[in-house]
Amino acid sequence: MALTGLILVLFVIGHLIGNLQIFAEPEVINQYAHFLHSLGPLLWLVRAFLLITVILHVWMAVLLVIENRKARPQGYEGEHTHRASYASRTMQYIGIIVLAFILFHLAHFTLRVTHPEYEQLRYVLQEGAYQGTEVLDVHAMMVMGFQKPLVSLFYIFAVGLLAFHLRHGFGSIFQTLGLRNKYWAGTIEKTTITFAVAYFLLNAAIPLSVMSGVVDNENVNSIGESAEVLTLPEDASSESTE
Ligand code: HEM
């Protein structure tokens, strides 16, 4: 559980850092997304690895619940263990909701089956090795996605639950490694809370900034008005890869 959890924690931190590029001009996150998409088979390898990690993480969680029930079908009575069993129980439910969120999220932004119109959001890269390449406008897609308050609220709710899940999970990693002794317990507790709060606030800032208009995108505003969303730089040739 600890090892798969640690891998997933590293993924969500990396993903958050990538997503925070929405605060820069569209070129930045679109370059980044195109770079990831251009990895081809390597990207699929990482996706497969992540999928296996999630499956193992859930499988270990189910085994743990079954073992705990077998070991003590009546549940704990003492005051000290009440908190632990409460936290573990909420972890199960939160884990299920987070899993449901991930499935929705993949359908929403990666497969785009919930919103096929995102495909119309195109962007022509202006700089670097991919200059002139027409790609999916990930910046515009995020803005368009989070302009819907219900979608934004669902994301904020889900990352809130995930932050809670991470807080407990992060603490458990130290417990598993045997590092949670009376000297370190306070520091570990403070670190995990700070990490979870920061994770939540930084993630929530993305939909909140779109809803409040702090982050906007011209491409989203002009869609529908014009089919020609972005014009090419004069000397660059366009080549659509996504
Ligand atoms: C505010 C929060 C989030 C935002 C704005 C966001 C944004 C995005 C975007 C835009 C993509 C599509 C990237 C592309 O196709 O170029 C994506 C993919 C993905 N996201 Fe998120 N995400 C958020 C939270 C999460 C969370 C909490 C998780 C997992 C716990 C997650 C897991 C994934 C996964 C697995 C992919 C697919 C990556 C791939 O293989 O292409 N995301 N996200």
Side-chain angles (χ1 to χ4, degrees):
M1 275 251 55
L3 183 63
T4 52
L6 194 62
I7 294 169
L8 295 172
V9 167
L10 292 177
F11 166 75
V12 294
I13 295 174
H15 189 42
L16 170 63
I17 295 170
N19 288 337
L20 287 174
Q21 296 175 95
I22 195 179
F23 292 105
E25 66 267 33
E27 177 77 14
V28 177
I29 200 163
N30 285 334
Q31 281 276 358
Y32 168 71
H34 180 65
F35 165 73
L36 290 183
H37 294 161
S38 70
L39 293 177
L42 189 62
L43 176 64
W44 281 104
L45 212 68
V46 175
R47 283 172 169 164
F49 174 72
L50 273 177
L51 185 68
I52 292 169
T53 309
V54 170
I55 292 171
L56 282 178
H57 192 69
V58 174
W59 186 28
M60 294 291 154
V62 171
L63 288 184
L64 211 67
V65 170
I66 294 173
E67 262 179 39
N68 284 349
R69 289 212 176 126
K70 265 201 222 142
R72 195 180 276 268
Q74 259 77 54
Y76 291 108
E77 277 173 24
E79 186 47 34
H80 329 293
T81 50
H82 178 75
R83 271 181 65 198
S85 70
Y86 171 76
S88 316
R89 231 183 8 251
T90 51
M91 283 296 273
Q92 296 162 32
Y93 298 125
I94 290 176
I96 291 169
I97 300 173
V98 169
L99 214 57
F101 161 76
I102 296 173
L103 292 180
F104 167 75
H105 181 50
L106 290 179
H108 184 213
F109 277 160
T110 302
L111 302 172
R112 299 179 280 282
V113 285
T114 57
H115 296 75
E117 68 274 19
Y118 291 163
E119 296 299 338
Q120 293 173 44
L121 298 165
R122 311 304 298 175
Y123 182 88
V124 178
L125 296 173
Q126 308 288 314
E127 291 163 19
Y130 299 114
Q131 187 182 33
T133 307
E134 188 190 288
V135 296
L136 171 76
D137 192 343
V138 172
H139 188 276
M141 175 176 80
M142 288 165 82
V143 169
M144 204 165 172
F146 293 133
Q147 277 178 348
K148 297 196 176 71
L150 263 184
V151 171
S152 280
L153 287 178
F154 181 47
Y155 270 78
I156 294 169
F157 173 67
V159 290
L161 287 183
L162 183 59
F164 188 79
H165 191 82
L166 291 177
R167 173 178 128 51
H168 177 75
F170 218 60
S172 304
I173 291 176
F174 291 99
Q175 183 110 27
T176 306
L177 296 175
L179 296 173
R180 199 184 199 127
N181 52 43
K182 64 179 175 179
Y183 303 107
W184 284 103
T187 314
I188 291 173
E189 186 73 1
K190 276 186 208 137
T191 313
T192 53
I193 291 179
T194 311
F195 168 73
V197 170
Y199 180 79
F200 170 69
L201 292 178
L202 290 172
N203 261 301
I206 299 172
L208 286 175
S209 305
V210 173
M211 280 201 293
S212 61
V214 171
V215 172
D216 205 355
N217 184 290
E218 276 177 27
N219 208 354
V220 172
N221 302 332
S222 65
I223 197 165
E225 288 167 21
S226 156
E228 191 63 45
V229 190
L230 253 178
T231 47
L232 281 171
E234 263 171 29
D235 56 341
S237 62
S238 168
E239 167 201 339
S240 177
T241 57
E242 282 148 37

